[in-house]
Amino acid sequence: MRRRRTIPTKPMAVLAAIALPLSSAAAVYAAVPREPRAEALNRLYTPPAGTAPYRQLTRLVRHGDRGAAAGVLAMLRTPHAVWYGDETPEEVEQLIRATTRRAARQGRVPVLALYNAPGRDCGNYSAGGAKGTAEYRAWIDAVARGIGNRRALIVLEPDSLALLPSDCDRAGGAAGGHHEDARDEFPGEREGAAEAGEELDGGVDGGVEGDVDGDVLDSELFAGGAGVLGGALAGAQAQAQAEAEARLAAQAAPPVGADLPADVRAGGPEDARTDVGTGTGTGTGTGTDNTVTDTPGGRPAGHPAEQPAGQHGDPHTGRPTPDGTVKPTHPARPTQPTQPTQPTVRPAPTPAELRARTAARYAEIHYAVDTLEPLPGVKVYLDAGHAGWHSVTGIVGRLLNAGVDHATGFAINVSHYQTDEDNAWYGRLISSCLAYVADGGDIRDCPDQRWPRLRAERWLEIHVLDEPQEMKHFVTDTSRNGRGPWTPRAGSHADPQPWCNPPGRGLGIRPTTRTGDPLHDAALWVKTPGESDGQCLRGTAGPRDPERGTVDPEAGQWFPEQALELVRFARPSL
């Protein structure tokens, strides 16, 4: 019987072209083994790369730059998350079943980033998501069926809690596209007040007239003060949802995620305004400015739903195919009529409507946790933004409202650039505050990341007595934090967008579940390195990115120049 001739695919041909002369680049890039540092990765899954990265590899090889090609190849072969969002329930069930089965056959654990919450990214770069709560629940049910009894780590809805619907008026939801920082306030008197024994607001509604309190931290909405959502919140959510739907139907208000008129942007949850300042209390020792300059969207750049609204631009705007690759699609953008039409006056969402949308967001995340966490091989981590975005007390309130009590824990720094030290400390503070509140403590007593390190550690020793196995754990995204956050030159841009394709960033530590910290379950590459955060304009009319001098690819598309930067400035090096 004649043997069938095997024709190498383009990716295999590229690999062969790189492998032959790789020794000439050994001084710059380490050789790429078949299983890169498998013992340190604890068997995390690597999805197949798309065609765009291999086209870049082909060009590099043809131009003789095999060292750079080897670096990009090593990046592609490092375990990273698979993103899902915008698929139909039938599609996502099929895709996730294929991914989890493939990973199981390899003896590996996949990281699944689920990104389909209604009103995603305040309708900005990564706009999209399910059309409503019922559709989202059906989608989550399909995800659960696709996973079945197989193992998976789930990063649930990046930015969904750090960027609530009630934050959108401050997060760039307005038509102008310029967004204010959606960050927690850290008043200069905060530490002094704490020393004097005064209560800290911690993102709780301060009673400012007109503000939209996205945290809903009133004590009557909690059961027994333990931080678990009670029947009062469920009833409030249902009533607010019904009232909002009736009002929207009667007034033809814009759908979730639509741009909010300027007159609605007068308020916002206190917790949505974070200014960590330049205090040294975090003890990072990095020498970088810890002032929070990120705008509302501290999440993935280039993934299905994020960008100008926050500090990420990593929406996976493509849909994974059954083989695990991603077919690029264009993020949903508002369409403009080709002919002048009579302007339609849309009433601005009222505070009650914004509250209803936020309550719905909490209910949606809670449903996803209750559906996915009980699966035998699954661990679910909720969105917790990053240390330069929200205060500890602010994000803890949101996590409690979203059902973190029923989840494994939370995810930090997704698609962002905060340092490993800052992430680990922020995670410990959040986990400790959750434990303190669960034991009946007042959330407002918890230390935040701006407290002096020694003072915060003394507080933890006295007030948090739980063992690590009894506390909520966390994972961090190290895909692009090797060089830490980018600090733009003062006055260099009207809106620096430091989260959006910042220059000179590098890959961080390789994914591993062996962190040496009992609360830190894993360092992961959640954001796919090399994918654009979006067409960053930094306050200009565009179309060029004024910092780079180029037109950046749309969110989620491959960005060759940035991919090379991440490899070149990786710390540790590849």
Side-chain angles (χ1 to χ4, degrees):
M1 183 175 72
R2 293 181 61 185
R3 296 187 61 182
R4 196 173 190 180
R5 182 181 177 188
T6 301
I7 302 177
T9 62
K10 180 180 289 187
M12 292 303 296
V14 172
L15 295 180
I18 295 173
L20 289 175
L22 187 58
S23 59
S24 63
V28 181
Y29 297 98
V32 183
R34 289 183 179 274
E35 293 292 342
R37 306 181 186 181
E39 71 283 358
L41 301 181
N42 199 21
R43 312 297 291 177
L44 292 172
Y45 173 71
T46 305
T51 57
Y54 281 109
R55 284 198 296 268
Q56 181 180 12
L57 289 174
T58 301
R59 290 194 298 270
L60 291 170
V61 170
R62 286 176 178 172
H63 287 84
D65 196 351
R66 292 185 172 86
V72 173
L73 178 60
M75 180 174 73
L76 296 176
R77 296 175 71 177
T78 299
H80 54 275
V82 188
W83 286 75
Y84 297 96
D86 297 327
E87 302 88 359
T88 66
E90 293 76 16
E91 290 170 340
V92 78
E93 179 179 349
Q94 177 186 8
L95 293 168
I96 288 183
R97 180 177 291 113
T99 294
T100 53
R101 281 179 174 174
R102 188 181 304 107
R105 286 195 297 268
Q106 298 175 8
R108 295 181 176 275
V109 179
V111 178
L112 310 179
L114 304 185
Y115 200 45
N116 195 38
R120 192 177 60 193
D121 196 37
C122 289
N124 285 287
Y125 289 174
S126 299
K131 297 298 187 293
T133 298
E135 184 174 305
Y136 183 73
R137 289 189 174 196
W139 193 84
I140 289 295
D141 291 342
V143 169
R145 291 193 299 271
I147 296 173
N149 293 324
R150 291 173 291 277
R151 294 187 298 168
L153 301 181
I154 294 180
V155 177
L156 181 63
E157 300 297 343
D159 276 355
S160 61
L161 299 181
L163 187 60
L164 290 169
S166 55
D167 297 333
C168 289
D169 57 336
R170 293 180 176 272
H178 296 282
H179 38 284
E180 304 173 60
D181 292 349
R183 303 172 293 180
D184 300 322
E185 294 278 2
F186 285 85
E189 312 81 38
R190 184 182 182 96
E191 290 185 13
E195 294 286 3
E198 298 177 16
E199 291 186 345
L200 305 181
D201 61 74
V204 181
D205 187 4
V208 179
E209 185 176 357
D211 271 8
V212 180
D213 176 17
D215 294 325
V216 197
L217 291 178
D218 297 330
S219 59
E220 65 269 19
L221 299 184
F222 288 87
V228 181
L229 288 178
L233 177 56
Q237 290 174 337
Q239 180 179 356
Q241 180 83 8
E243 292 175 354
E245 290 177 354
R247 187 182 186 95
L248 290 173
Q251 299 181 349
V256 173
D259 291 342
L260 302 181
D263 59 346
V264 183
R265 292 180 293 163
E270 186 69 17
D271 175 51
R273 304 185 293 278
T274 303
D275 186 1
V276 175
T278 57
T280 58
T282 57
T284 61
T286 59
T288 58
D289 185 353
N290 289 329
T291 301
V292 181
T293 55
D294 290 345
T295 54
R299 190 220 131 356
H303 294 309
E306 283 188 310
Q307 266 203 299
Q311 321 182 11
H312 31 60
D314 157 21
H316 257 213
T317 52
R319 291 186 179 181
T321 60
D323 67 355
T325 60
V326 175
K327 293 183 177 180
T329 60
H330 295 289
R333 295 182 179 278
T335 57
Q336 297 295 328
T338 55
Q339 303 260 340
T341 59
Q342 187 70 23
T344 301
V345 178
R346 290 183 174 182
T350 66
E353 289 164 353
L354 292 176
R355 284 178 183 270
R357 295 177 185 180
T358 297
R361 172 69 57 82
Y362 284 137
E364 289 150 5
I365 300 302
H366 210 306
Y367 181 84
V369 171
D370 289 344
T371 302
L372 299 173
E373 181 72 30
L375 297 177
V378 168
K379 293 183 177 182
V380 177
Y381 301 89
L382 278 64
D383 168 47
H386 60 71
W389 195 355
H390 287 287
S391 67
V392 169
T393 51
I395 201 64
V396 162
R398 296 179 178 212
L399 288 167
L400 289 170
N401 277 337
V404 72
D405 287 344
H406 301 161
T408 297
F410 51 93
I412 295 173
N413 199 48
V414 176
S415 293
H416 288 285
Y417 306 86
Q418 306 301 310
T419 65
D420 293 333
E421 185 173 2
D422 284 347
N423 291 333
W425 180 236
Y426 189 55
R428 180 184 171 191
L429 291 174
I430 293 173
S431 182
S432 298
C433 186
L434 287 168
Y436 178 70
V437 173
D439 289 337
D442 189 331
I443 188 175
R444 293 170 295 182
D445 295 337
C446 295
D448 63 47
Q449 64 269 41
R450 193 169 180 255
W451 279 31
R453 184 68 173 258
L454 290 177
R455 176 178 165 231
E457 288 178 341
R458 285 197 299 269
W459 190 96
L460 297 178
E461 290 175 0
I462 295 171
H463 297 283
V464 181
L465 305 178
D466 298 43
E467 294 297 326
Q469 64 269 21
E470 299 172 349
M471 300 168 67
K472 293 303 173 184
H473 291 197
F474 62 93
V475 296
T476 60
D477 185 356
T478 64
S479 59
R480 303 188 295 180
N481 74 338
R483 300 280 171 166
W486 173 55
T487 303
R489 300 181 308 279
S492 58
H493 306 292
D495 179 8
Q497 293 182 317
W499 53 268
C500 194
N501 295 332
R505 302 306 90 195
L507 300 168
I509 62 173
R510 308 303 170 266
T512 180
T513 57
R514 299 173 182 175
T515 66
D517 180 344
L519 294 175
H520 189 185
D521 282 351
L524 305 172
W525 283 9
V526 182
K527 153 73 175 178
T528 305
E531 291 187 356
S532 174
D533 293 329
Q535 296 178 329
C536 314
L537 304 181
R538 310 189 196 281
T540 68
R544 294 182 180 274
D545 179 342
E547 182 65 28
R548 292 179 172 275
T550 61
V551 178
D552 299 348
E554 291 189 4
Q557 295 187 1
W558 189 252
F559 195 168
E561 292 78 12
Q562 187 183 76
L564 291 175
E565 288 178 1
L566 292 173
V567 169
R568 178 185 177 187
F569 297 113
R571 184 182 293 170
S573 61
L574 287 175

Short mmCIF file of all heavy atoms in Angstrom, two decimals, residues 348-387:
data_model
loop_
_atom_site.label_atom_id
_atom_site.label_comp_id
_atom_site.label_asym_id
_atom_site.label_seq_id
_atom_site.Cartn_x
_atom_site.Cartn_y
_atom_site.Cartn_z
N ALA A 348 -32.27 60.37 28.71
CA ALA A 348 -31.11 59.83 29.41
C ALA A 348 -31.56 58.80 30.43
O ALA A 348 -32.61 58.95 31.06
CB ALA A 348 -30.36 60.96 30.10
N PRO A 349 -30.79 57.74 30.60
CA PRO A 349 -31.12 56.78 31.66
C PRO A 349 -31.14 57.48 33.02
O PRO A 349 -30.26 58.27 33.33
CB PRO A 349 -29.97 55.77 31.59
CG PRO A 349 -29.43 55.90 30.21
CD PRO A 349 -29.59 57.34 29.84
N THR A 350 -32.14 57.20 33.77
CA THR A 350 -32.26 57.80 35.09
C THR A 350 -31.39 57.04 36.09
O THR A 350 -30.96 55.91 35.82
CB THR A 350 -33.72 57.73 35.56
OG1 THR A 350 -34.06 56.34 35.75
CG2 THR A 350 -34.65 58.37 34.54
N PRO A 351 -31.13 57.65 37.25
CA PRO A 351 -30.39 56.91 38.28
C PRO A 351 -31.03 55.57 38.60
O PRO A 351 -30.33 54.59 38.84
CB PRO A 351 -30.42 57.86 39.47
CG PRO A 351 -30.48 59.23 38.85
CD PRO A 351 -31.35 59.07 37.64
N ALA A 352 -32.38 55.52 38.60
CA ALA A 352 -33.04 54.25 38.89
C ALA A 352 -32.73 53.21 37.82
O ALA A 352 -32.54 52.03 38.12
CB ALA A 352 -34.55 54.46 39.00
N GLU A 353 -32.69 53.64 36.56
CA GLU A 353 -32.38 52.71 35.48
C GLU A 353 -30.94 52.23 35.56
O GLU A 353 -30.64 51.05 35.31
CB GLU A 353 -32.65 53.39 34.14
CG GLU A 353 -34.14 53.58 33.87
CD GLU A 353 -34.42 54.57 32.77
OE1 GLU A 353 -33.47 55.23 32.28
OE2 GLU A 353 -35.60 54.70 32.39
N LEU A 354 -30.03 53.15 35.90
CA LEU A 354 -28.64 52.74 36.03
C LEU A 354 -28.47 51.77 37.20
O LEU A 354 -27.70 50.82 37.12
CB LEU A 354 -27.75 53.97 36.22
CG LEU A 354 -27.64 54.88 35.00
CD1 LEU A 354 -26.81 56.12 35.32
CD2 LEU A 354 -27.03 54.14 33.81
N ARG A 355 -29.21 52.02 38.27
CA ARG A 355 -29.18 51.09 39.39
C ARG A 355 -29.71 49.73 38.97
O ARG A 355 -29.19 48.69 39.37
CB ARG A 355 -30.01 51.63 40.55
CG ARG A 355 -29.37 52.76 41.35
CD ARG A 355 -30.32 53.23 42.43
NE ARG A 355 -29.79 54.34 43.18
CZ ARG A 355 -29.04 54.21 44.28
NH1 ARG A 355 -28.72 53.01 44.70
NH2 ARG A 355 -28.59 55.27 44.92
N ALA A 356 -30.76 49.73 38.16
CA ALA A 356 -31.34 48.47 37.72
C ALA A 356 -30.36 47.69 36.86
O ALA A 356 -30.23 46.46 36.99
CB ALA A 356 -32.62 48.73 36.94
N ARG A 357 -29.65 48.39 35.99
CA ARG A 357 -28.67 47.70 35.15
C ARG A 357 -27.52 47.14 35.98
O ARG A 357 -27.01 46.06 35.71
CB ARG A 357 -28.14 48.67 34.09
CG ARG A 357 -29.20 49.13 33.10
CD ARG A 357 -28.65 50.14 32.12
NE ARG A 357 -29.71 50.66 31.25
CZ ARG A 357 -29.50 51.56 30.30
NH1 ARG A 357 -28.29 52.05 30.10
NH2 ARG A 357 -30.52 51.98 29.55
N THR A 358 -27.14 47.90 37.00
CA THR A 358 -26.08 47.42 37.87
C THR A 358 -26.56 46.22 38.68
O THR A 358 -25.83 45.23 38.85
CB THR A 358 -25.61 48.54 38.81
OG1 THR A 358 -25.06 49.60 38.02
CG2 THR A 358 -24.56 48.04 39.78
N ALA A 359 -27.79 46.29 39.19
CA ALA A 359 -28.35 45.14 39.92
C ALA A 359 -28.42 43.92 39.02
O ALA A 359 -28.15 42.80 39.45
CB ALA A 359 -29.74 45.49 40.46
N ALA A 360 -28.80 44.14 37.74
CA ALA A 360 -28.85 43.04 36.80
C ALA A 360 -27.45 42.45 36.58
O ALA A 360 -27.29 41.22 36.48
CB ALA A 360 -29.44 43.50 35.47
N ARG A 361 -26.43 43.31 36.49
CA ARG A 361 -25.06 42.83 36.33
C ARG A 361 -24.66 41.92 37.49
O ARG A 361 -24.09 40.84 37.30
CB ARG A 361 -24.12 44.02 36.23
CG ARG A 361 -22.63 43.68 36.26
CD ARG A 361 -22.14 42.95 35.02
NE ARG A 361 -22.40 43.68 33.80
CZ ARG A 361 -21.64 44.68 33.32
NH1 ARG A 361 -20.57 45.08 34.00
NH2 ARG A 361 -21.94 45.28 32.18
N TYR A 362 -24.96 42.37 38.72
CA TYR A 362 -24.65 41.54 39.87
C TYR A 362 -25.37 40.19 39.79
O TYR A 362 -24.80 39.13 40.06
CB TYR A 362 -25.07 42.25 41.16
CG TYR A 362 -24.13 43.35 41.60
CD1 TYR A 362 -24.64 44.57 42.06
CD2 TYR A 362 -22.75 43.18 41.57
CE1 TYR A 362 -23.79 45.57 42.50
CE2 TYR A 362 -21.89 44.19 41.99
CZ TYR A 362 -22.42 45.39 42.45
OH TYR A 362 -21.59 46.38 42.87
N ALA A 363 -26.65 40.24 39.42
CA ALA A 363 -27.43 39.00 39.33
C ALA A 363 -26.87 38.07 38.26
O ALA A 363 -26.85 36.84 38.43
CB ALA A 363 -28.90 39.33 39.04
N GLU A 364 -26.42 38.62 37.14
CA GLU A 364 -25.86 37.82 36.05
C GLU A 364 -24.57 37.12 36.48
O GLU A 364 -24.36 35.93 36.22
CB GLU A 364 -25.62 38.71 34.83
CG GLU A 364 -26.91 39.15 34.15
CD GLU A 364 -26.81 40.50 33.47
OE1 GLU A 364 -25.70 41.09 33.44
OE2 GLU A 364 -27.85 40.99 32.99
N ILE A 365 -23.68 37.89 37.14
CA ILE A 365 -22.43 37.29 37.58
C ILE A 365 -22.71 36.23 38.66
O ILE A 365 -22.11 35.15 38.66
CB ILE A 365 -21.49 38.37 38.13
CG1 ILE A 365 -21.18 39.41 37.04
CG2 ILE A 365 -20.19 37.75 38.64
CD1 ILE A 365 -20.55 38.84 35.79
N HIS A 366 -23.65 36.55 39.55
CA HIS A 366 -24.02 35.60 40.60
C HIS A 366 -24.53 34.30 39.98
O HIS A 366 -24.18 33.19 40.44
CB HIS A 366 -25.09 36.23 41.49
CG HIS A 366 -25.05 35.76 42.91
ND1 HIS A 366 -25.10 34.44 43.26
CD2 HIS A 366 -24.96 36.46 44.09
CE1 HIS A 366 -25.06 34.32 44.57
NE2 HIS A 366 -24.97 35.53 45.11
N TYR A 367 -25.34 34.42 38.95
CA TYR A 367 -25.87 33.23 38.29
C TYR A 367 -24.75 32.40 37.67
O TYR A 367 -24.73 31.16 37.76
CB TYR A 367 -26.88 33.62 37.21
CG TYR A 367 -27.48 32.43 36.49
CD1 TYR A 367 -28.56 31.76 37.03
CD2 TYR A 367 -26.95 31.98 35.29
CE1 TYR A 367 -29.12 30.65 36.39
CE2 TYR A 367 -27.49 30.87 34.63
CZ TYR A 367 -28.58 30.21 35.18
OH TYR A 367 -29.10 29.12 34.56
N ALA A 368 -23.80 33.08 37.02
CA ALA A 368 -22.68 32.38 36.40
C ALA A 368 -21.86 31.63 37.45
O ALA A 368 -21.45 30.48 37.23
CB ALA A 368 -21.79 33.36 35.64
N VAL A 369 -21.63 32.27 38.59
CA VAL A 369 -20.88 31.61 39.66
C VAL A 369 -21.63 30.37 40.15
O VAL A 369 -21.06 29.28 40.28
CB VAL A 369 -20.64 32.58 40.83
CG1 VAL A 369 -20.06 31.84 42.04
CG2 VAL A 369 -19.70 33.71 40.41
N ASP A 370 -22.91 30.53 40.41
CA ASP A 370 -23.70 29.41 40.94
C ASP A 370 -23.83 28.27 39.94
O ASP A 370 -24.05 27.12 40.33
CB ASP A 370 -25.09 29.90 41.34
CG ASP A 370 -25.07 30.79 42.57
OD1 ASP A 370 -24.04 30.78 43.28
OD2 ASP A 370 -26.06 31.51 42.81
N THR A 371 -23.70 28.58 38.65
CA THR A 371 -23.83 27.55 37.62
C THR A 371 -22.50 26.84 37.36
O THR A 371 -22.46 25.62 37.16
CB THR A 371 -24.34 28.18 36.31
OG1 THR A 371 -25.60 28.80 36.55
CG2 THR A 371 -24.49 27.13 35.22
N LEU A 372 -21.40 27.59 37.36
CA LEU A 372 -20.11 27.04 36.92
C LEU A 372 -19.25 26.49 38.07
O LEU A 372 -18.59 25.47 37.90
CB LEU A 372 -19.33 28.11 36.16
CG LEU A 372 -20.01 28.65 34.90
CD1 LEU A 372 -19.24 29.83 34.33
CD2 LEU A 372 -20.16 27.55 33.85
N GLU A 373 -19.26 27.17 39.20
CA GLU A 373 -18.39 26.72 40.30
C GLU A 373 -18.71 25.30 40.78
O GLU A 373 -17.79 24.55 41.12
CB GLU A 373 -18.48 27.71 41.47
CG GLU A 373 -17.60 27.35 42.66
CD GLU A 373 -16.11 27.58 42.40
OE1 GLU A 373 -15.78 28.48 41.61
OE2 GLU A 373 -15.28 26.86 43.01
N PRO A 374 -19.98 24.88 40.81
CA PRO A 374 -20.26 23.52 41.28
C PRO A 374 -19.77 22.42 40.34
O PRO A 374 -19.74 21.24 40.74
CB PRO A 374 -21.80 23.49 41.37
CG PRO A 374 -22.20 24.92 41.53
CD PRO A 374 -21.23 25.68 40.68
N LEU A 375 -19.40 22.74 39.10
CA LEU A 375 -18.90 21.71 38.20
C LEU A 375 -17.65 21.08 38.81
O LEU A 375 -16.80 21.79 39.36
CB LEU A 375 -18.59 22.30 36.83
CG LEU A 375 -19.79 22.89 36.06
CD1 LEU A 375 -19.34 23.52 34.75
CD2 LEU A 375 -20.84 21.81 35.80
N PRO A 376 -17.49 19.78 38.72
CA PRO A 376 -16.47 19.07 39.50
C PRO A 376 -15.03 19.51 39.23
O PRO A 376 -14.20 19.46 40.14
CB PRO A 376 -16.68 17.61 39.12
CG PRO A 376 -17.46 17.63 37.85
CD PRO A 376 -18.31 18.85 37.92
N GLY A 377 -14.71 19.94 38.03
CA GLY A 377 -13.33 20.28 37.73
C GLY A 377 -13.07 21.76 37.53
O GLY A 377 -12.05 22.14 36.95
N VAL A 378 -13.99 22.61 38.00
CA VAL A 378 -13.94 24.03 37.65
C VAL A 378 -13.64 24.91 38.87
O VAL A 378 -14.13 24.65 39.97
CB VAL A 378 -15.28 24.47 37.01
CG1 VAL A 378 -15.37 25.99 36.89
CG2 VAL A 378 -15.43 23.83 35.64
N LYS A 379 -12.82 25.94 38.64
CA LYS A 379 -12.60 27.00 39.62
C LYS A 379 -12.94 28.32 38.94
O LYS A 379 -12.46 28.59 37.84
CB LYS A 379 -11.15 27.01 40.11
CG LYS A 379 -10.77 25.80 40.94
CD LYS A 379 -9.35 25.93 41.45
CE LYS A 379 -8.99 24.73 42.34
NZ LYS A 379 -7.60 24.87 42.89
N VAL A 380 -13.74 29.15 39.60
CA VAL A 380 -14.21 30.41 39.02
C VAL A 380 -13.59 31.58 39.79
O VAL A 380 -13.62 31.61 41.02
CB VAL A 380 -15.74 30.50 39.06
CG1 VAL A 380 -16.21 31.86 38.53
CG2 VAL A 380 -16.37 29.37 38.26
N TYR A 381 -13.08 32.56 39.02
CA TYR A 381 -12.47 33.76 39.59
C TYR A 381 -13.18 34.99 39.03
O TYR A 381 -13.23 35.18 37.82
CB TYR A 381 -10.98 33.81 39.27
CG TYR A 381 -10.22 32.62 39.80
CD1 TYR A 381 -10.08 31.46 39.02
CD2 TYR A 381 -9.66 32.63 41.07
CE1 TYR A 381 -9.39 30.36 39.52
CE2 TYR A 381 -8.97 31.53 41.58
CZ TYR A 381 -8.85 30.39 40.79
OH TYR A 381 -8.18 29.30 41.27
N LEU A 382 -13.70 35.83 39.92
CA LEU A 382 -14.44 37.04 39.52
C LEU A 382 -13.48 38.19 39.27
O LEU A 382 -12.35 38.21 39.74
CB LEU A 382 -15.44 37.43 40.62
CG LEU A 382 -16.78 36.70 40.64
CD1 LEU A 382 -16.59 35.22 40.93
CD2 LEU A 382 -17.70 37.31 41.70
N ASP A 383 -13.98 39.19 38.57
CA ASP A 383 -13.19 40.37 38.23
C ASP A 383 -12.94 41.25 39.45
O ASP A 383 -13.88 41.62 40.16
CB ASP A 383 -13.94 41.18 37.16
CG ASP A 383 -13.36 42.56 36.94
OD1 ASP A 383 -12.12 42.66 36.81
OD2 ASP A 383 -14.14 43.53 36.90
N ALA A 384 -11.67 41.61 39.67
CA ALA A 384 -11.34 42.51 40.78
C ALA A 384 -10.47 43.68 40.32
O ALA A 384 -9.84 44.33 41.14
CB ALA A 384 -10.62 41.74 41.89
N GLY A 385 -10.45 43.97 39.02
CA GLY A 385 -9.70 45.12 38.54
C GLY A 385 -8.23 45.01 38.85
O GLY A 385 -7.61 43.95 38.73
N HIS A 386 -7.63 46.10 39.32
CA HIS A 386 -6.22 46.07 39.72
C HIS A 386 -5.96 47.15 40.76
O HIS A 386 -6.82 48.00 41.05
CB HIS A 386 -5.29 46.22 38.52
CG HIS A 386 -5.46 47.49 37.75
ND1 HIS A 386 -5.07 48.72 38.23
CD2 HIS A 386 -5.98 47.74 36.51
CE1 HIS A 386 -5.32 49.65 37.33
NE2 HIS A 386 -5.89 49.08 36.28
N ALA A 387 -4.77 47.13 41.32
CA ALA A 387 -4.45 47.97 42.47
C ALA A 387 -4.44 49.46 42.14
O ALA A 387 -4.53 50.28 43.05
CB ALA A 387 -3.09 47.56 43.04
#
